[in-house]
Amino acid sequence: MPKPKNKQTDPPRYPLRYLARASLPALLDSLRAAGYRCIGPQLKEGAVVYAELDTVEQLPRGVHDQQSPGEYRTQASEDERYFAWANGPQAIKPWLFAPRESLWQVARDEHGRLRFRETSPQVTPLAVIGARACDLAALRLQDQHFLHGAHPDPYYQARRESLFIVAVQCSHTAATCFCASTGDGPRAERDFDLALSELNAGYVVETGSQRGASVLAALPLAAATAAQRDAARQQSERAARLQTRALPGRNLRDVLFANLEHPRWDEVAARCLSCGNCTSVCPTCFCHAESEQPALDGAHSEHVREWDSCFTQGHSYIHGLTIRAETRTRYRQWLTHKLGSWHEQYGRSGCVGCGRCMTWCPVGIDITEEASAICGEGT
Amino acid sequence: MKPKIAVHKFSSCDGCQLAFLNAGEQLLTLSELVDIVHFVEAGPVAPDEQVDIAFVEGSITTPHDVERIQRIRSQSHYLITIGACATAGGVQALRNLVDGQQWINAVYASPQYIASLATSTPIAAHVKVDLELWGCPVNTRQVMAAVRALLFGVVPEIRRDSVCMECKREGNVCVLVAKGQPCMGPVTQTGCGALCPHFGRDCYACYGPAENINTPALVNRFAGLGLLPEEIARRFLTINNAAPAFVDAARSVQP
């Protein structure tokens, strides 16, 4: 048999299978039987968010999303599909890098001596259903930050090691998506246990790991037909084609650092609220603050880590001085780090093209537009 | 000897004092750590006693208030304001923007008995304030954390980040972006736990201005949502009506 010319149709390690939509509950059952708590997308408070998933009925059937800078709306439809939307405000980040957690506690013993006790992470293995290619790219970056340095983070690590990922290949593109320009999507090629391509009546299932293969073992699967495989591939290609935004290049480090005094920084600072929403929804941002939370009686205290942001005052506070006191330098710090100095730190840009920072920016600041203004188009 | 604390009240609704009264077991712990010498709403009355920490609720609205706050300052080692009235004039500081005497004449049958100043001003407009706890009302966590820090001999930590930071940590969906509600979270100081957005409604800025805010940008956004200038001004002038950043924002749309 001749080898296919298109790289995307290279034979996978596991054969492609097909799961009818009516059998999707069996996937949840199989995950639960394997010991996983299932987390999946659901429509809550006007957005698709991840939450505990007990049944497929909770999935956002027929829900479409419309995104633009500073605006997110969902629409109901008669569509039978569960994943006919681009993304919501969260990626996998909150499930691994907890928004707030206690790292250790200290108490005085009967002799008045301080006793330190680490707070071991309590982990229930999670299966996240619905992760997109951009989310997986972000996951790789967070893994690099939290796990691959000299001091792996045990809290992140415990949750990460037991995480099972059911990715979903994007079939719909939001106006804010630009993962094709960053090289991170819309097809997830790796780092999933299973990946689903949702078709009108079911799913083409890719297997990415032995764990994934085990979870599939009990399911009523068929071999994916050529027509099903083609449909899956075509809708991924279409999702890529429909993207209208792009960053002006994959490595903007030099041009950003050559433009630290560009007038655009002042211009964006006049619009920026410095509220920190962009960094909170960014699936790769990892900054955090740590603080003591003593009990009123002073007998014990908790050391707590929380998500922080380069847009807060505390982020650049050192020895009585706030280094970045105003928005211009805070925004510049964010963009030059995300798109610039990440290359030195992690070997690539920190942006995976998910577009969350612009959708969830209350005033709709568009990272692709700012980067283009500062770096020049087509750099 | 235990440190002494006092809780004083000026023009206010008394709600901030509930941060102590509703503290449950912590109130018992507090009474073991300090002597609560003056706290009218709780019982003890000794308004002239020298104290280590004076908590002050309410704004300055009468000639008598002006004198009384000087006395409290002189007899207190630390003075901490609690709540929007003491820290930013409160709801009653709306009078600062109009002819207050006209309102008194309109409301009271015998206005000559009302000894009220033309303005409602924060405590810091009259005496040195060591620490300001914002909120309408402040909560138990804030007041107890301040006491605990001072007992340890350290400066209490006050975060002035936006409500958005906490809202995202809570996993709330942004009501401004997803519902088009005129949420004040981006310019409002954290401390409430993003309470209103958690229940699906827009923040109304009861914790006062956050650090490094950009009110013109939010004013523009609200205008884009279809709010009239008067409606935008009301978003800023509700609770913290003597907070300069909010007053300026309101005046920028409705001079």
Side-chain angles (χ1 to χ4, degrees):
Chain A
M1 208 171 112
K3 276 200 168 178
K5 283 172 196 153
N6 190 332
K7 194 166 174 263
Q8 284 191 336
T9 57
D10 271 350
R13 279 163 55 213
Y14 296 91
L16 289 176
R17 313 298 296 276
Y18 181 79
L19 180 71
R21 181 166 293 114
S23 299
L24 193 59
L27 174 60
L28 296 193
D29 292 342
S30 179
L31 286 165
R32 273 192 287 269
Y36 293 103
R37 229 175 93 208
C38 294
I39 302 295
Q42 291 161 51
L43 186 60
K44 284 184 195 286
E45 298 290 334
V48 177
V49 297
Y50 284 102
E52 192 94 23
L53 190 70
D54 298 320
T55 111
V56 294
E57 302 303 315
Q58 293 168 287
L59 292 170
R61 186 170 70 174
V63 170
H64 298 299
D65 57 353
Q66 281 192 333
Q67 302 189 42
S68 59
E71 197 165 286
Y72 182 99
R73 293 289 184 279
T74 57
Q75 272 182 331
S77 78
E78 294 301 309
D79 198 334
E80 293 287 310
R81 294 181 183 223
Y82 291 121
F83 302 99
W85 40 274
N87 61 18
Q90 307 149 307
I92 305 173
K93 179 168 96 170
W95 301 99
L96 295 178
F97 170 33
R100 178 185 299 108
E101 72 183 314
S102 171
L103 301 188
W104 45 261
Q105 296 173 327
V106 57
R108 286 193 191 282
D109 65 14
E110 62 274 23
H111 308 293
R113 286 177 303 211
L114 293 178
R115 295 287 178 200
F116 292 85
R117 190 164 55 82
E118 73 178 303
T119 317
S120 310
Q122 300 294 312
V123 173
T124 320
L126 283 187
V128 172
I129 295 153
R132 306 309 177 97
C134 57
D135 299 339
L136 296 182
L139 180 69
R140 285 190 285 275
L141 280 166
Q142 292 244 307
D143 282 356
Q144 243 179 303
H145 176 73
F146 285 107
L147 301 180
H148 301 163
H151 305 284
D153 183 89
Y155 306 90
Y156 182 96
Q157 189 169 33
R159 292 184 283 258
R160 176 68 178 100
E161 281 170 358
S162 64
L163 184 73
F164 188 100
I165 297 170
V166 182
V168 168
Q169 303 292 9
C170 282
S171 54
H172 288 68
T173 297
T176 46
C177 290
F178 58 99
C179 64
S181 84
T182 64
D184 295 304
R187 272 198 73 77
E189 306 284 359
R190 57 197 171 106
D191 295 310
F192 52 76
D193 295 293
L194 297 171
L196 310 177
S197 295
E198 187 173 46
L199 305 179
N200 285 336
Y203 304 88
V204 173
V205 184
E206 294 162 73
T207 307
S209 71
Q210 184 51 49
R211 291 195 305 180
S214 312
V215 163
L216 288 187
L219 301 188
L221 295 158
T225 64
Q228 288 163 343
R229 295 201 303 258
D230 283 349
R233 185 177 43 79
Q234 280 165 16
Q235 68 183 19
S236 283
E237 286 167 4
R238 183 169 171 274
R241 238 180 8 253
L242 289 177
Q243 294 187 12
T244 53
R245 284 184 160 80
L247 279 175
R250 290 205 186 159
N251 188 343
L252 302 174
R253 187 201 167 278
D254 293 344
V255 64
L256 280 172
F257 283 104
N259 280 290
L260 292 178
E261 301 305 325
H262 198 288
R264 185 73 178 199
W265 300 117
D266 287 309
E267 206 269 324
V268 66
R271 286 176 282 130
C272 174
L273 293 164
S274 194
C275 59
N277 273 301
C278 49
T279 60
S280 295
V281 295
C282 177
T284 70
C285 274
F286 47 69
C287 282
H288 56 263
E290 295 182 18
S291 62
E292 297 313 314
Q293 300 194 350
L296 179 57
D297 65 5
H300 61 95
S301 180
E302 218 168 330
H303 186 82
V304 175
R305 171 168 76 183
E306 295 185 321
W307 286 359
D308 195 14
S309 165
C310 44
F311 286 92
T312 70
Q313 182 264 335
H315 190 270
S316 68
Y317 178 83
I318 302 169
H319 302 304
L321 172 72
T322 299
I323 310 265
R324 293 184 287 276
E326 82 304 338
T327 307
R328 175 180 172 275
T329 48
R330 293 184 191 178
Y331 188 88
R332 193 177 70 179
Q333 166 65 25
W334 185 60
L335 206 71
T336 54
H337 186 214
K338 181 73 55 189
L339 304 180
S341 42
W342 273 66
H343 287 277
E344 288 154 51
Q345 263 183 299
Y346 305 104
R348 59 156 292 175
S349 146
C351 178
V352 295
C354 70
R356 289 185 175 93
C357 60
M358 73 177 95
T359 296
W360 298 97
C361 170
V363 291
I365 293 173
D366 175 348
I367 187 173
T368 63
E369 193 182 319
E370 299 311 317
S372 297
I374 290 159
C375 301
E377 302 278 352
T379 302
Chain B
M1 210 174 68
K2 290 197 282 189
K4 291 178 182 176
I5 74 166
V7 180
H8 297 278
K9 173 194 156 58
F10 286 80
S11 288
S12 59
C13 76
D14 289 33
C16 287
Q17 296 175 59
L18 298 180
F20 292 100
L21 291 178
N22 287 348
E25 201 180 322
Q26 285 197 67
L27 184 57
L28 299 178
T29 307
L30 180 70
S31 67
E32 285 166 13
L33 295 168
V34 300
D35 274 329
I36 304 170
V37 297
H38 175 77
F39 190 174
V40 176
E41 200 165 312
V45 180
D48 300 325
E49 196 155 337
Q50 199 76 30
V51 296
D52 296 285
I53 309 171
F55 286 96
V56 177
E57 179 198 83
S59 66
I60 303 297
T61 62
T62 69
H64 177 232
D65 287 347
V66 175
E67 290 167 32
R68 192 158 64 95
I69 192 61
Q70 296 294 341
R71 205 165 62 238
I72 290 168
R73 175 69 269 190
S74 68
Q75 70 199 27
S76 313
H77 188 60
Y78 292 117
L79 191 156
I80 300 177
T81 61
I82 50 172
C85 300
T87 311
V91 175
Q92 59 272 27
L94 282 172
R95 81 163 71 146
N96 302 359
L97 309 167
V98 297
D99 181 352
Q101 191 55 45
Q102 204 182 5
W103 282 14
I104 291 172
N105 294 341
V107 170
Y108 294 99
S110 306
Q112 68 273 24
Y113 296 114
I114 306 297
S116 203
L117 298 172
T119 56
S120 164
T121 42
I123 302 301
H126 299 268
V127 297
K128 176 175 179 282
V129 171
D130 299 298
L131 184 69
E132 294 182 326
L133 300 180
W134 293 77
C136 182
V138 291
N139 60 44
T140 298
R141 192 194 50 73
Q142 287 170 283
V143 295
M144 295 306 179
V147 173
R148 182 63 261 167
L150 291 175
L151 291 176
F152 275 146
V154 298
V155 179
E157 190 201 7
I158 306 286
R159 288 234 191 127
R160 301 203 61 199
D161 303 346
S162 72
V163 167
C164 303
M165 289 296 300
E166 186 63 8
C167 202
K168 283 288 184 287
R169 284 192 288 256
E170 289 292 314
N172 301 327
V173 173
C174 179
V175 298
L176 202 166
V177 169
K179 295 179 185 170
Q181 292 181 8
C183 184
M184 292 288 283
V187 297
T188 303
Q189 162 172 178
T190 189
C192 62
L195 196 57
C196 291
H198 187 73
F199 289 99
R201 60 156 293 175
D202 42 329
C203 165
Y204 59 96
C206 74
Y207 269 66
E211 171 267 348
N212 185 40
I213 59 174
N214 184 351
T215 55
L218 196 62
V219 164
N220 280 343
R221 183 71 175 102
F222 286 176
L225 291 174
L227 269 70
L228 299 171
E230 187 187 337
E231 293 171 313
I232 297 172
R234 279 194 197 143
R235 298 303 293 156
F236 288 92
L237 295 179
T238 303
I239 308 283
N240 292 284
N241 299 313
F246 284 0
V247 174
D248 291 349
R251 286 197 168 132
S252 75
V253 281
Q254 204 183 35

